[in-house]
Amino acid sequence: MEVLVLLILVACGKAPLPPGDPETPDVVLVSVDTLRADHVGAWGYPRPTTPFLDGLAAAGLRYAHARAPAPWTLPSHATLLSGRLPARHGAVEDDLGIAAPLLAEALHARGVATAGVVSSLFVSSRYGFERGFDAFEDFGIRTSAENLAGEADARRVTDAALRLAAALPPGKPAFLFVHYYDVHYTCDPPPPYDTLFDRAPAAGDPRYRTYAWHLRHPLAPAELDHQIAQYDEAIRYVDDQIRRLAGAWEAAGRAATWIVTADHGEELGERGSWGHGHTLFQEQLHVPLVVAGARIPAPGVIGSPVGLEDLAPRIAAWFGADLPDPDGPPLSLVEAPAAGPGSPGRALPAETSRFRTDRYALFRDGLRLGVDLASGARSLYDLAADPGERTDLAALRPDLVADLEAALWSAYGAPWTARRAVDVDTPGTVLVGSRAVARALRLEAGTPFQVVPVDAPVRVPGDGRWRPFGGLAPGPADPVGWSGETGEAVALSRDDRRRLEALGYVQVDDGDPAP
């Protein structure tokens, strides 16, 4: 049988994988961009979108309530691969790269062979994600147009992953990160997947334009049904490619732990539009998470809420690596008694400033607080009783809203204190206490304050320069304290930068597609 498998691999032009470390299983981390949990069979979806992933879930651990920290690619993947929330890794908008220590760096230092294949601009070497990988393939994607062209489809990504895997040094444990982009709009899987759940795409079909445009011009019911079918067909295409990837490991006899998740989901008409990056509802933040294969004590369902920040610490621990100061605990592999969506104690923040939004959320004890700093609105949802988040309870429980909001802002670190009376100017939002008060204001001496988002530039008189607030430690000399390190500036093209206001932070055109 082993000879037959080898002959098949050679005939297909694919080199077989070398033997791994018999003592230390590999880890294969798969991120399916834009995959919402409720379109996965293991989460109860009726269409057969994910037969392979469902099998992994049945044989391993399914995390029923995994949550993303942001509804778009860059900040969420930065959290996935660093173990730090956006408030600390700082890669919130597309003008800063990630400066936080990355999982691959920690594993490489430990002697683990590392390889990564990504298919989006916002997980590419342009933003620093190649750090720590012995081999890294991002297909040269460097512009937004190339990003949305989707030329690095699931088959091409899998081919590249298998090529890098075949070049792994024999006898060493490996970490492989694979990112698929096909489930992101425009969702155009190749035949025969394009007719799996609906008719073939036609020339007159609506194409994704912008979230704002579709909010004003919602798809007709039949059009929306077709787009959802295409979304589901793309999921099935990726699922089959993950099956192909896993087959190579099985054929090589390499033991591995398989982790499959997503960076965020997708709104499919629930709030009147189509897309992501703009809101923090369940359809964008509830992501699938399955862990299977080696190292799993027993199959089961983990009901306790977890965040993507929990993954990197667990992977590092498996290899005995040192991941510096993560925000999440190592992912639990054993269910806690009486766990569920209302389990007490864990607070999971999320945020988006994409396309002139300024929204924040906190998930705790089965409740989700929403804070819209642009409008000043607060919202509160009981996800156990109202998973569709249709009934806003904020007006009925102002005490609970205040408590959750204080917990939310604490995720952004200890407030700064003005050393003397000073004028603070920022296109972000200045918080005094737990309330947003202004984007530019005079602070009296001794006033504690914060600025959100963490990459919002801040300027004070006597300094003159715009500096990111996040990641800066108070210094001894000036009224606020400019010191510390932040993410490296990313050189953006004029086409990319046209979406940003003159301050280089908030996007001008909220009609551009969100990554």
Side-chain angles (χ1 to χ4, degrees):
M1 182 63 182
E2 292 181 359
V3 174
L4 177 60
V5 169
L6 177 61
L7 290 174
I8 291 173
L9 289 170
V10 172
C12 293
K14 301 293 186 290
L17 273 61
D21 182 344
E23 302 297 327
T24 307
D26 301 332
V27 172
V28 182
L29 172 60
V30 177
S31 173
V32 184
D33 206 297
T34 320
L35 175 58
R36 47 190 280 178
D38 61 358
H39 277 244
V40 175
W43 273 258
Y45 196 56
R47 274 180 176 158
T49 52
T50 52
F52 181 70
L53 183 55
D54 297 344
L56 281 183
L61 297 174
R62 179 174 70 86
Y63 292 78
H65 303 288
R67 300 185 69 81
W72 77 283
T73 303
L74 174 59
S76 198
H77 275 100
T79 291
L80 175 67
L81 295 172
S82 72
R84 296 187 182 188
L85 292 164
R88 291 188 60 233
H89 66 57
V92 174
E93 274 295 336
D94 58 9
D95 53 351
L96 285 180
I98 183 170
L102 294 176
L103 173 63
E105 293 177 294
L107 299 183
H108 176 81
R110 185 66 178 172
V112 178
T114 55
V117 180
V118 303
S119 49
S120 169
L121 171 68
F122 297 100
V123 205
S124 72
S125 56
R126 180 172 173 185
Y127 289 92
F129 283 96
E130 83 287 359
R131 298 195 337 253
F133 285 105
D134 300 318
F136 188 80
E137 175 62 78
D138 61 9
F139 302 98
I141 299 171
R142 293 294 179 271
T143 69
S144 294
E146 291 171 338
N147 187 64
L148 291 174
E151 293 183 358
D153 74 345
R155 177 171 290 278
R156 189 178 176 195
V157 167
T158 304
D159 286 346
L162 292 175
R163 183 180 70 252
L164 297 187
L168 290 170
K172 289 187 68 174
F175 169 67
L176 175 67
F177 173 59
V178 183
H179 167 262
Y180 292 101
Y181 200 59
D182 306 71
V183 181
H184 191 286
Y185 49 71
T186 54
C187 296
D188 288 325
Y193 298 93
D194 59 346
T195 57
L196 193 59
F197 302 129
D198 198 7
R199 61 170 174 80
D205 288 344
R207 304 287 289 178
Y208 184 83
R209 296 182 61 170
T210 71
Y211 184 90
W213 193 92
H214 289 291
L215 196 62
R216 297 188 299 267
H217 307 89
L219 299 180
E223 293 174 331
L224 181 59
D225 287 345
H226 178 62
Q227 294 304 320
I228 292 174
Q230 286 193 295
Y231 178 79
D232 291 341
E233 289 161 357
I235 296 172
R236 178 59 179 270
Y237 176 42
V238 172
D239 186 75
D240 282 352
Q241 291 301 312
I242 300 172
R243 181 195 301 272
R244 186 163 74 96
L245 188 66
W249 253 257
E250 183 177 4
R254 291 184 70 124
T257 304
W258 289 81
I259 304 174
V260 182
T261 189
D263 57 342
H264 58 79
E266 180 84 330
E267 181 181 325
L268 296 170
E270 291 85 359
R271 314 295 153 185
S273 192
W274 171 21
H276 56 268
H278 299 75
T279 66
L280 300 173
F281 290 95
Q282 281 278 82
E283 58 270 12
Q284 293 194 46
L285 295 185
H286 184 203
V287 295
L289 174 58
V290 170
V291 181
R295 302 186 177 93
I296 305 307
V301 177
I302 305 293
S304 304
V306 299
L308 292 186
E309 62 271 23
D310 301 345
L311 281 167
R314 170 56 65 191
I315 296 170
W318 279 332
F319 289 108
D322 181 22
L323 183 67
D325 195 21
D327 284 326
L331 190 72
S332 173
L333 302 177
V334 181
E335 178 59 296
S343 299
R346 188 73 190 277
L348 297 168
E351 64 180 81
T352 182
S353 55
R354 204 74 176 139
F355 304 121
R356 289 194 293 185
T357 58
D358 200 5
R359 295 189 170 108
Y360 301 81
L362 186 79
F363 176 85
R364 193 185 77 184
D365 301 344
L367 301 171
R368 188 184 71 84
L369 170 74
V371 177
D372 186 339
L373 293 181
S375 68
R378 270 66 175 169
S379 56
L380 181 67
Y381 301 96
D382 182 344
L383 300 187
D386 178 26
E389 296 176 292
R390 298 296 181 183
T391 303
D392 185 355
L393 305 174
L396 300 176
R397 295 296 309 273
D399 56 332
L400 188 53
V401 168
D403 177 55
L404 291 172
E405 186 167 357
L408 168 65
W409 300 132
S410 70
Y412 289 81
W416 286 21
T417 300
R419 301 178 190 273
R420 60 173 172 78
V422 63
D423 296 308
V424 176
D425 187 11
T426 175
T429 300
V430 181
L431 303 172
V432 175
S434 64
R435 304 295 294 181
V437 292
R439 292 175 181 266
L441 79 163
R442 183 169 182 80
L443 295 172
E444 297 303 322
T447 303
F449 74 101
Q450 292 168 294
V451 176
V452 293
V454 297
D455 68 338
V458 180
R459 183 171 60 185
V460 297
D463 179 72
R465 288 177 291 173
W466 292 99
R467 300 169 180 257
F469 178 82
L472 296 173
D478 55 70
V480 176
W482 302 118
S483 61
E485 298 296 330
T486 61
E488 294 182 6
V490 174
L492 299 179
S493 69
R494 184 175 181 181
D495 177 62
D496 290 332
R497 295 298 299 173
R498 69 182 176 82
R499 302 195 310 268
L500 305 179
E501 290 182 348
L503 292 175
Y505 169 62
V506 181
Q507 294 177 354
V508 174
D509 184 1
D510 65 353
D512 277 350

